[in-house]
Amino acid sequence: MIGLRESQHFGINVVVKRLMDIVLALVALVLFAPVMAFIAAAIKWSSPGPILFRQTRCGLNGKPFEMLKFRSMRMDAEKETGAVWAKKDDDRRTWIGRIIRPTSLDELPQLFNVLWGDMSLVGPRPERPEFIAGFTKSIPFYMARHGMKAGMTGWAQVNGWRGNTSLRKRVQFDLHYITHWSPLFDLQILWLTVFRGFVDKNAY
């Protein structure tokens, strides 16, 4: 059982979190601009198809939005299988995808999602609607994750709950974040992301 109390995400807290997102996302875009330019050029040069990959995810209150990523797989990656999670040593990856997926550099375009207001820098990671229907039937309180905007990183991710790990644990950590949110908690998670979030054995 997961005990839930009233979320901290209301009133002035919403404004504070949004201002933090805008300022820090702009700073990150400036810092990562050379890296993003190099990745974009490598994708364009190495394989046919667009540089950016757009995928429908569900965010605040379950509302769908288009999440951006650098394209790291071939264009027909789900042609035969339909919607599936990536797996270890996934042969659908391009050569640049083998570099940017384990290091989470493919997630950098989501800084634009943050600026547009679809996402936050910190929050529960957004999931695809194709998977959510099944998760809500098997995992208690799964939809409560949508009580805050989806994030580029989160409390679950910096504690190792990403990729092929326990969804129940991920939800538990997400709900802990939602019910204990504060600006300092966000800064703590962003700091931990620098050391734990970019390279993870479960990121593939």
Side-chain angles (χ1 to χ4, degrees), residues 160-173:
W161 301 108
R162 61 180 296 185
N164 189 22
T165 57
S166 170
L167 280 173
R168 289 177 180 268
K169 278 290 187 181
R170 201 175 310 173
V171 171
Q172 181 180 344
F173 275 76

Side-chain angles (χ1 to χ4, degrees), residues 117-134:
D118 296 325
M119 295 179 67
S120 177
L121 288 173
V122 181
R125 284 294 293 165
E127 191 50 84
R128 299 172 69 174
E130 297 94 329
F131 300 141
I132 289 176

